[in-house]
């Protein structure tokens, strides 16, 4: 009896343990299931909110990203443009010419149009004669103060030039200064002989720094002249200093400024004045720091050979 009783008692305890185990398992199942359910709800809510937010902000965030991409693209393009601009800056420094119009018209690196009329080159409306742009051998001043009747003349210069020169000369005289034209118009044929003489005397390389080959001389245009001594010493005279500081007021520029040989192709000539009109001359004067026509217009002055 005692054995059976103990056995029954043990069995009873085991049954109770099983019942409690099942109860705990059920409770754990409820807890795990509830946890999973809550987690699922949270995940659904999060995705729902994100989806809703994405849909709501599409025109904002996406457009912003697109705009940022576009801006980045534009920035890259701007960088290229800037590099090209810098390149253009270099071109401007080197006075390079570019062609950028559909009809093949040449535009300088400074944006001025190059036109050729009857073999004569005009840049920005200004007649240009230098190492790059020659004149026809038959060219003579188109509106001279006096008709061209000889190979060399100090009076067959442009009429407007002569009028302004006379005003300048008189103003200088009132200050006790004496300026006069030492060399004015020179024909193509005259320049041939003059240049060849300098080549014989100093060699071609040296001659090209101070004398123009025939067809490339401004003197043939009738729009320039050399003053007084035609020597380097002129810049140190009272006349030379006054001319340097005041000629722009009368429409003249120092055609070959000091330190601008790389642009003009010629050494500094304090005595060589070119008539360009008061407006342009004032710009070239540049508050006393003369710039050349080549710099201003963005053109070259270099012989082809």
């Amino acid at each position: 009896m005692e054995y059976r009783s103990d056995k029954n008692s043990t069995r009873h305890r085991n049954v109770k343990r099983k019942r409690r185990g099942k109860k705990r398992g059920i409770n754990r199942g409820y807890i795990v299931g509830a946890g999973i359910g809550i987690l699922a709800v949270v995940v659904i809510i999060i995705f729902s909110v994100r989806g809703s937010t994405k849909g709501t902000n599409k025109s904002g965030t996406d457009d912003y990203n697109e705009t940022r991409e576009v801006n980045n693209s534009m920035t890259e393009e701007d960088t290229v443009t800037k590099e090209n601009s810098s390149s253009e800056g270099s071109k401007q420094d080197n006075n390079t010419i570019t062609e950028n119009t559909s009809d093949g018209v040449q535009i300088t690196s400074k944006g001025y149009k190059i036109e050729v009329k009857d073999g004569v080159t005009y840049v920005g409306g200004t007649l240009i004669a230098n190492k790059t742009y020659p004149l026809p051998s038959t060219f003579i001043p188109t509106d001279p103060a006096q008709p061209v009747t000889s190979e060399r003349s100090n009076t067959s210069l442009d009429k407007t030039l002569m009028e302004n020169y006379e005003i300048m000369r008189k103003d200088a005289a009132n200050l006790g200064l004496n300026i006069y034209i030492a060399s004015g118009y020179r024909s193509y044929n005259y320049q041939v002989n003059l240049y060849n003489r300098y080549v014989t005397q100093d060699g071609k390389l040296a001659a090209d720094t101070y004398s123009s080959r025939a067809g490339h001389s401004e003197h043939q245009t009738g729009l320039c002249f050399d003053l007084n001594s035609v020597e380097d010493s002129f810049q140190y005279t009272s006349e030379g200093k006054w001319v340097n500081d005041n000629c722009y007021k009368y429409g003249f520029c120092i055609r070959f400024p000091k330190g601008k040989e790389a642009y003009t192709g010629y050494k500094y000539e304090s005595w060589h004045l070119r008539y360009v009109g008061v407006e342009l001359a004032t710009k070239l004067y540049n508050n006393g720091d003369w710039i050349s026509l080549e710099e201003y217009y963005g053109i070259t002055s270099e012989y082809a050979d």
Side-chain angles (χ1 to χ4, degrees), residues 115-122 127 134-140 142:
E115 298 179 281
V116 179
K117 301 176 182 178
D118 299 324
V120 180
T121 302
Y122 296 85
L127 190 157
L135 297 167
S137 60
T138 55
F139 180 87
I140 59 174
T142 56

Side-chain angles (χ1 to χ4, degrees), residues 181-240:
I181 295 176
S183 181
Y185 167 72
R186 300 200 294 253
S187 71
Y188 181 96
N189 291 331
Y190 185 93
Q191 194 67 27
V192 169
N193 296 324
L194 180 64
Y195 174 77
N196 287 340
R197 188 165 74 242
Y198 287 134
V199 170
T200 300
Q201 174 183 304
D202 297 320
K204 186 176 181 180
L205 187 63
D208 280 339
T209 67
Y210 64 82
S211 180
S212 301
R213 300 177 189 179
H216 297 270
S217 174
E218 273 199 331
H219 285 277
Q220 190 182 342
T221 68
L223 291 169
C224 77
F225 52 70
D226 293 334
L227 290 174
N228 295 29
S229 63
V230 194
E231 297 288 344
D232 289 337
S233 58
F234 179 70
Q235 63 184 297
Y236 304 113
T237 65
S238 297
E239 285 80 3

Side-chain angles (χ1 to χ4, degrees), residues 38-84:
I38 292 171
L39 180 61
V41 170
V42 171
V43 171
I44 291 172
I45 291 173
I46 290 173
F47 277 100
S48 297
V49 170
R50 290 183 63 182
S52 175
T53 303
K54 186 176 180 180
T56 303
N57 292 337
K58 185 173 182 179
S59 60
T61 305
D62 288 357
D63 283 355
Y64 168 75
N65 291 332
E66 183 178 355
T67 302
R68 185 172 60 182
E69 290 175 3
V70 171
N71 287 338
N72 288 338
S73 176
M74 289 177 66
T75 301
E76 291 173 1
E77 292 176 3
D78 290 343
T79 301
V80 173
T81 302
K82 185 175 181 180
E83 290 175 354
N84 289 339

Side-chain angles (χ1 to χ4, degrees), residues 1-18 20:
M1 288 289 295
E2 290 181 358
Y3 172 75
R4 293 182 64 181
S5 175
D6 290 341
K7 189 175 182 180
N8 290 335
S9 176
T10 301
R11 183 182 300 169
H12 179 70
R13 284 195 299 270
N14 290 336
V15 169
K16 289 180 70 175
R17 288 194 188 98
K18 289 180 180 180
R20 284 197 299 270

Side-chain angles (χ1 to χ4, degrees), residues 50-283:
R50 290 183 63 182
S52 175
T53 303
K54 186 176 180 180
T56 303
N57 292 337
K58 185 173 182 179
S59 60
T61 305
D62 288 357
D63 283 355
Y64 168 75
N65 291 332
E66 183 178 355
T67 302
R68 185 172 60 182
E69 290 175 3
V70 171
N71 287 338
N72 288 338
S73 176
M74 289 177 66
T75 301
E76 291 173 1
E77 292 176 3
D78 290 343
T79 301
V80 173
T81 302
K82 185 175 181 180
E83 290 175 354
N84 289 339
S85 178
S86 297
S87 177
E88 282 302 312
S90 298
K91 288 181 179 180
Q92 289 174 14
D93 289 342
N94 294 324
N95 302 329
T96 302
I97 298 163
T98 59
E99 281 190 13
N100 61 354
T101 60
S102 58
D103 55 357
V105 174
Q106 284 191 318
I107 304 296
T108 74
S109 61
K110 295 292 182 69
Y112 292 98
K113 185 177 181 180
I114 301 175
E115 298 179 281
V116 179
K117 301 176 182 178
D118 299 324
V120 180
T121 302
Y122 296 85
V123 180
T126 299
L127 190 157
I128 298 294
N130 65 10
K131 292 182 177 181
T132 299
Y133 304 102
L135 297 167
S137 60
T138 55
F139 180 87
I140 59 174
T142 56
D143 189 23
Q146 294 184 17
V148 177
T149 58
S150 62
E151 297 290 322
R152 184 176 185 273
S153 172
N154 291 342
T155 58
S156 297
L157 295 169
D158 180 80
K159 185 183 297 183
T160 303
L161 173 152
M162 290 300 293
E163 291 172 353
N164 285 275
Y165 162 72
E166 281 300 321
I167 297 173
M168 181 173 69
R169 185 188 65 77
K170 290 177 181 178
D171 286 350
N174 290 335
L175 296 173
L177 303 173
N178 180 34
I179 60 174
Y180 56 90
I181 295 176
S183 181
Y185 167 72
R186 300 200 294 253
S187 71
Y188 181 96
N189 291 331
Y190 185 93
Q191 194 67 27
V192 169
N193 296 324
L194 180 64
Y195 174 77
N196 287 340
R197 188 165 74 242
Y198 287 134
V199 170
T200 300
Q201 174 183 304
D202 297 320
K204 186 176 181 180
L205 187 63
D208 280 339
T209 67
Y210 64 82
S211 180
S212 301
R213 300 177 189 179
H216 297 270
S217 174
E218 273 199 331
H219 285 277
Q220 190 182 342
T221 68
L223 291 169
C224 77
F225 52 70
D226 293 334
L227 290 174
N228 295 29
S229 63
V230 194
E231 297 288 344
D232 289 337
S233 58
F234 179 70
Q235 63 184 297
Y236 304 113
T237 65
S238 297
E239 285 80 3
K241 293 176 181 178
W242 184 85
V243 166
N244 182 81
D245 296 335
N246 294 277
C247 68
Y248 74 93
K249 300 173 183 177
Y250 306 91
F252 295 97
C253 71
I254 302 296
R255 181 62 183 90
F256 307 120
K258 183 179 291 186
K260 302 304 174 71
E261 292 83 354
Y263 296 99
T264 65
Y266 297 102
K267 72 184 191 68
Y268 170 49
E269 293 187 358
S270 59
W271 61 85
H272 184 115
L273 302 190
R274 161 70 191 271
Y275 183 76
V276 292
V278 175
E279 182 178 357
L280 179 54
T282 301
K283 294 176 181 177

